Each structure stands twice: as structure tokens, then as C-alpha cells.
Amino acid sequence: MKTEFTPQQLADPDTAASEAELRRCVRCGFCNATCPTQVLLGDERDSPRGRIYLIKDMLENQRAPTAETVTHIDRCLSCLACVSTCPSGVNYTRLIDHARVYIEQRYDRPLIDRARRRFLAWVMPNPTRFRLAMGLARLAKPFAPLFGKGPLRAMLALTSWRSARRAPSAEVYPSPKPPRARVALLQGCAEPALRPEIRAATLRLLNRMGVEVVLARDEVCCGSLSHHMGFEEDALAAARRNVDIWSAQRDLDAIVVTVSGCGTTIKDYGWMLRNDPVYAERAATVSAKALDVSELIGRYGLPEISNPQALTVAYHSACSLQHGQQIKDLPAHLLEKAGFTVRRPAEAHLCCGSAGTYNILQPQIAGQLRDRKLANLDHLAPDVIAAGNIGCLIQLNRKEIPVIHTVQLLDWATGGPNPLDTRNA
């Protein structure tokens, strides 16, 4: 794609990076076929190619973002299916992230929209505030039909009636075996508030594998939620804080993540802080050490399968895992090694509609994507649905078929408690 940025514009590192990605685009449109919003809405402006044109026009001409442009950028899930599809290697992540920051800095959103986004960015990255918000939401859940079809009703619909236990919080979990590795486990924000049993299962499984696990004191949110809403300074502050915390830990072999959306962001810390002379090198080191939990298990191997289960598992591959981190088959292969029968749905590349805060801010589109995904999963007639991202687990959750983290099934197969028994939740 031809560009006409001035030398003065290209002196800005973010603009230069976006220009490089724009020039890679050959406008072939392959990305449109795998874009969830293009598939649903059929509007070129809601496709990666269409958004690239909007972004190019906005950045190149230094235009103030219009309401129309903001609408189509906001509808992007950042699922990154387009990145997996693009034959030219366009890193769409760089373009959409830059566009969101540009919009946040230059577009005056309606007051209620601005307040809603800031509220989510204040509550969700903080586990204490998030747990409190979930408690209040449980009280308000019976009144959800009174709130119309907007974001508040969508948030209440995602709330579980069950009050979650506290996640394990000791600082070090030594392995009973001679340690094969020492890792820091990302503690996260939403996951410990919504499904603390995931951390417990991860600790048991990694210890069983001979891995010592550290929960680093003073660690904060990875910054992903703020990053994807365009609150770049908040996201960079979180990244710097975590780089400091993890860099101070001795002899870490890896930084392990059980939320694939967070893992995608942490693996990008090196890029996010590339222009910071104080943090660039250490951020790159942190990114290089970041692993999805499935990658660590794949590296060291599963423990003995002492409790195999004859269950059919529908494996839902989270977008941040299959597209963001390009981990496509490993979790399913681990489940098969553990004795489960694994099936994958049609349209596995399409997002379920969770996408961080997307299912709250764009509830209609998110609801259509959820229903489409559930229909494809139901067709497999599974006993359980497994995924590696808390957002997907909550988005797909319902009474008929349990939806749990992949690591919980692997923990069960190797000696842990039954995750389908609510007494263990």
C-alpha cells in the first residue's frame, strides 16, 4: 500500500512503525474472510482491510477522529485472526493499537461512554475492586432485565451467582520433588476474582511436574485491558511495574501465564517499552521469558496420568492463544495425552465475543458471536468445554455444559480434584 507520510511524521516511532505495516498491506482481502465483524456485519469498514484504510487516512492526514471512524475501530475485537490469515505478514496489532491511542488522545467521546470506559479501566485491573464489583453485581443480577440491552445489562449477565473462594496467595510453592525449574506465575486480575480454582489447579500441576512456583509480591495487572482501550500511559505504567517486580526475582526460568489475553500482552512488553532507555532491555528479557502455561507443560512434560477420564472435551482455542501467540494445537494435544477425547468446532478461528471488555462495551455483536460459537460447540456433543482464557470461560459459561480451564482437566488427570464437582470450585 502506498503511503505519503512526511519525514516529520515519520520521526515519531509509533507512526514510523504503523507506516511500515501499512506498506506491507497488498489489499488482497484474505483477512476479511476470517474477521468476525466482517462475517457478521458484511461492512467493509468493519473488516481489517477497511479499518486499515480508515487508520491510514486518519494518521497520514492527522485528522481528528470522526464518530464514524471511532465506531468501526471500536468494533474491532483485536482477535487477530487477520494476523494469522495475512499472506503479506501485516502486523495488524501495531495498527489497531496505535489507532486506539490516537483516538483516545484526540476524540471527545460522549460523557457516558467516557465514564464507562474509565470505570472499567479502574475496576477490572484491581482484584479487590473487581471482587467488590462482582459482589454488587450479584445483588443487582435479578434486576438485569430493567437495564435494557446496554453494557450494564451485559455486565450483569456475565456475573456468576456463585461467590468465588480466595485464590491461593502464599509467595512460594516449592515442588516436593527436586526442582526442575523456578517460575513466576502471573496472578492476574479477573481470573482470581472469578475462578480462583484455576490458580490452585495450576500450582498443584506445576508442583507435581517438579516446578517451583513464585507469586511475586506487588505484581500488578498486565496492562492489557487499559492497552486495548487506548489508555496507553496506564498500560505502560503497569508494564514497567511488572518488569521491575519480575526482574528482581532470582533465577526465574519463565513467567507463566494462565490467561492467554494477558500472555499476549506480556510477550509484547519488549515492543511496548522499546523506546524507554531505562526499561527496554529488561522488558525484552521479560517478554522472552513469558510462557503460556501450556508451553511450560509442553516443555517439561505432563506428570504420570494417574486418573484418566473417559470424557469428550470440546477445545475452544482462545483468539489470544491461537492468533495472538500462535499456539494453535499444543493445549489440545496435551489434553489428548492426558486421555481425553478432544474435538474442535467448526469456525474455530472465529472469536467467541469476549475480547477483554468487548462483551460489555459491544454487547450486541458479542452476543451474536457467543451464540454462533456455542452452536458450533454444541454440535460436538461434548461432556465439557475447555479453554485457556478467563474471558472465554465466562463468555461461554452456562448450565448445560461446564466450561473450565484446560489446566484444570490436566490437573485432574494427573491426580488433582474433579473440577466438575462444584464442591471443589
Side-chain angles (χ1 to χ4, degrees), residues 131 162-168 190-201 390 425:
R131 285 180 66 91
R162 177 170 58 90
S163 179
R165 298 177 182 178
R166 293 278 181 177
E191 187 186 85
L194 295 168
R195 296 282 184 90
E197 58 270 26
I198 295 173
R199 184 188 297 176
I390 184 63

Side-chain angles (χ1 to χ4, degrees), residues 159-173:
T159 305
S160 171
W161 287 107
R162 177 170 58 90
S163 179
R165 298 177 182 178
R166 293 278 181 177
S169 58
E171 288 190 37
V172 180
Y173 289 82

Side-chain angles (χ1 to χ4, degrees), residues 25-316:
C25 178
V26 297
R27 300 171 290 177
C28 65
F30 282 14
C31 55
N32 287 14
T34 58
C35 173
T37 50
Q38 166 69 10
V39 169
L40 282 185
L41 304 175
D43 188 329
E44 174 76 12
R45 295 167 299 177
D46 289 315
S47 72
R49 182 173 65 182
R51 291 189 182 104
I52 284 173
Y53 274 111
L54 292 173
I55 292 168
K56 176 181 181 292
D57 178 67
M58 184 173 64
L59 297 180
E60 198 170 58
N61 296 293
Q62 296 183 311
R63 296 191 196 280
T66 65
E68 180 186 33
T69 296
V70 172
T71 293
H72 296 296
I73 297 300
D74 282 353
R75 284 180 184 165
C76 176
L77 294 124
S78 286
C79 70
L80 306 184
C82 54
V83 174
S84 292
T85 307
C86 180
S88 302
V90 177
N91 191 335
Y92 178 79
T93 314
R94 305 290 176 239
L95 294 170
I96 195 67
D97 288 349
H98 187 190
R100 287 187 164 131
V101 174
Y102 186 96
I103 287 169
E104 186 57 33
Q105 292 172 347
R106 293 168 176 80
Y107 180 66
D108 187 18
R109 291 182 181 273
L111 178 60
I112 191 161
D113 186 27
R114 193 162 65 246
R116 183 187 300 128
R117 293 164 68 86
R118 267 298 171 190
F119 177 76
L120 291 172
W122 182 73
V123 170
M124 294 187 72
N126 184 292
T128 301
R129 292 177 198 144
F130 192 78
R131 285 180 66 91
L132 176 61
M134 288 298 98
L136 295 174
R138 276 190 289 273
L139 296 176
K141 192 176 178 71
F143 307 101
L146 302 177
F147 294 103
K149 296 183 178 180
L152 185 54
R153 182 173 180 176
M155 186 164 59
L156 294 177
L158 296 169
T159 305
S160 171
W161 287 107
R162 177 170 58 90
S163 179
R165 298 177 182 178
R166 293 278 181 177
S169 58
E171 288 190 37
V172 180
Y173 289 82
S175 169
K177 302 178 180 179
R180 303 164 69 190
R182 186 173 190 269
V183 306
L185 177 65
L186 176 74
Q187 295 160 68
C189 311
E191 187 186 85
L194 295 168
R195 296 282 184 90
E197 58 270 26
I198 295 173
R199 184 188 297 176
T202 303
L203 291 169
R204 287 191 299 266
L205 179 60
L206 297 189
N207 281 173
R208 211 174 287 133
M209 289 165 50
V211 175
E212 179 178 288
V213 183
V214 176
L215 302 182
R217 184 191 293 272
D218 298 327
E219 175 195 290
V220 296
C221 168
C222 70
S224 179
L225 289 172
S226 298
H227 185 56
H228 293 304
M229 286 195 284
F231 301 140
E232 193 65 358
E233 288 309 310
D234 293 351
L236 294 179
R240 291 185 182 103
R241 176 73 173 271
N242 286 333
V243 168
D244 284 337
I245 294 297
W246 291 325
S247 297
Q249 290 289 327
R250 61 174 180 81
D251 303 327
L252 284 185
D253 296 291
I255 299 160
V256 177
V257 188
T258 55
V259 182
S260 60
C262 302
T264 302
T265 296
I266 294 169
K267 288 182 177 183
D268 213 31
Y269 275 6
W271 172 266
M272 291 167 63
L273 294 171
R274 70 196 184 284
N275 297 316
D276 187 325
V278 177
Y279 282 89
E281 184 176 350
R282 286 185 294 148
T285 299
V286 164
S287 289
K289 288 187 176 183
L291 294 175
D292 182 74
V293 65
S294 64
E295 292 180 290
L296 188 80
I297 299 168
R299 176 183 293 181
Y300 292 104
L302 282 165
E304 178 186 355
I305 308 303
S306 58
N307 190 25
Q309 302 295 321
L311 295 178
T312 297
V313 178
Y315 175 64
H316 164 67

